[in-house]
Amino acid sequence: FSWSDEIYRIFGLAPQEFGATYEAFLTAVHPNDRENVKNEVNKALDDSSYEYKVNHRVAHTDGKERFVQERGKVLRDAEGCPIRMIGTLRDITDRKIAEEQEARAVSSRIAISALLETGLEQLSLQKQLTIALDIILAVPWLGLLNKGSIFLFDKDTDHLIMSCQKNLSEYLIKSCARVLSGHCLCGRAAHSRKLVF
């Protein structure tokens, strides 16, 4: 392998720190993306007309996630045997972050719109809360499991009352049916009005 100093910087490595093997290169690719990168390289090795293009994350030494785009082509000898691979690598982290932020904004707007529409329908409060919970759990960027609950506050008893739930265990349904404000995660979140976990 022969890399420019800029590529070393993108990967978070000192110039010439990198071992000059394909296996060493793969260790610099994020573990969850290695198979995809290997598949693209193999396609380029198998098909003389294939130019690979792959986006992947870098296992950066500073712990920050970086995104890169690689493009490459295999050069062959007169008999068609691979003799060399050339390519470019570009840091696309800023673009990727902007795309993710835009996707989050769009999914948030869709969820808010759906929540507002639900509030305008002639439904019982229970039905509105159940639909609202489904909408919230469907927002992809929240990264939540498809389970949760909505509590309503009873100011007379200072308790949160579980008003609807989805996919909670029987134990949680029973133990969290009524939560004193300030206790457990949900009670602390309600009391402080801040994200607790």
Side-chain angles (χ1 to χ4, degrees), residues 1 3 11 18 21-46 50-59 66-72 74 85 88-89:
F1 273 88
W3 278 6
F11 275 80
F18 186 74
T21 66
Y22 179 59
E23 289 72 25
F25 158 71
L26 286 175
T27 63
V29 174
H30 192 283
N32 294 344
D33 296 341
R34 283 183 192 146
E35 269 317 299
N36 190 34
V37 171
K38 284 197 278 190
N39 290 339
E40 284 297 303
V41 170
N42 287 337
K43 283 182 198 172
L45 289 170
D46 292 340
Y50 188 76
E51 292 186 23
Y52 82 88
K53 176 182 170 185
V54 62
N55 296 347
H56 67 83
R57 290 165 291 175
V58 170
R66 308 291 304 166
F67 293 88
V68 297
Q69 181 179 81
E70 288 186 39
R71 291 174 179 249
V74 175
M85 181 178 279
T88 60
L89 181 132

Side-chain angles (χ1 to χ4, degrees), residues 106-193:
V106 168
S107 63
S108 295
R109 285 193 294 271
I110 291 168
I112 290 168
S113 176
L115 288 168
L116 290 172
E117 285 177 27
T118 302
L120 296 173
E121 295 179 27
Q122 296 297 318
L123 302 171
S124 68
L125 178 60
Q126 182 64 41
K127 184 68 175 168
Q128 285 184 1
L129 293 174
T130 301
I131 292 171
L133 182 59
D134 285 338
I135 292 167
I136 292 166
L137 293 176
V139 175
W141 65 266
L142 288 174
L144 299 173
L145 297 175
N146 191 24
K147 61 182 178 179
S149 61
I150 293 179
F151 292 89
L152 295 180
F153 184 66
D154 181 349
K155 64 181 177 182
D156 295 331
T157 64
D158 203 30
H159 277 82
L160 299 173
I161 312 297
M162 186 184 295
S163 300
C164 70
Q165 63 82 27
K166 183 173 182 176
N167 298 328
L168 294 184
S169 67
E170 285 300 318
Y171 170 77
L172 281 177
I173 293 170
K174 287 180 184 174
S175 62
C176 297
R178 295 176 63 83
V179 177
L180 184 61
S181 179
H183 292 268
C184 298
L185 290 175
C186 296
R188 288 195 331 235
H191 183 74
S192 67
R193 296 176 184 255

Side-chain angles (χ1 to χ4, degrees), residues 1-19 61:
F1 273 88
S2 176
W3 278 6
S4 69
D5 287 350
E6 178 67 5
I7 293 176
Y8 281 101
R9 185 195 65 72
I10 291 169
F11 275 80
L13 300 168
Q16 310 315 315
E17 176 184 340
F18 186 74
T61 54

